[in-house]
Amino acid sequence: MSPAVPSGFRPVGEPEVVLAFLRGEIDSERFGAGVRAALAEVGGSRLVRHPDLDSDLENLARERALATARGWREGGMFEGFPERVDWYHGVLPPDVLARVRYIDYSYWNELSGGSRRPADVPATLRSGRLPQWVTELGTDWCFQLAALLAGAESVGDLIVMAAPGLERLVVLEGHARLTGVFVGGLEKRVTVRAYVGVSAAVDRWGCF
């Protein structure tokens, strides 16, 4: 186990992370239709609803679906994504969770007041200084999701990229859930599970 990974994390294979990404977005209002359409081309939603991680064919199909839907290792948000990543799964302690930042993307930059820190979103929402294009895209979902998560004991599974030593952590998948946790002030109350990918080349990823 890498000393950079929080205590209690277990090593996992990349197929489990691909499954987690698809599972996190298959019912998403924004990305769900694209994910379901991509899955339909390779075997259907059963690949996510009832997965078999021991099946090489299924794992390949899920990779193809994620590539079609979200550009997995092909470009777009994955431009410069490292080839070698050591993956782990576990619970993010509150002190580590507080250091996870958004990807470098305009909507999340504005929503956090430029800091890319989810903890800064509540103050930004209250400030009334969000650009019009952000308010047109909508921010009500932040409060709605926070209210939904308030009744949960745990939140999972985020996917977080990290440099060795965990000096920097950036969420790859799970931005909405992460936002809901901080908007609801739940970061020290709910258990947040995550996959953490550690790579020495992660700083070459365009969204890091």
Side-chain angles (χ1 to χ4, degrees), residues 141-162:
W141 66 267
C142 299
F143 301 101
Q144 294 167 358
L145 185 53
L148 181 64
L149 295 179
E153 294 183 0
S154 65
V155 176
D157 282 304
L158 306 182
I159 302 176
V160 175
M161 297 303 298

Side-chain angles (χ1 to χ4, degrees), residues 2 8 20 23 25 37 42 44 74 76 94 112 114 118 123 131 143 156 161 163 196 205:
S2 167
R23 183 175 284 151
E25 297 198 339
V42 296
E74 291 186 353
S112 61
F143 301 101
M161 297 303 298
V196 175
W205 175 37

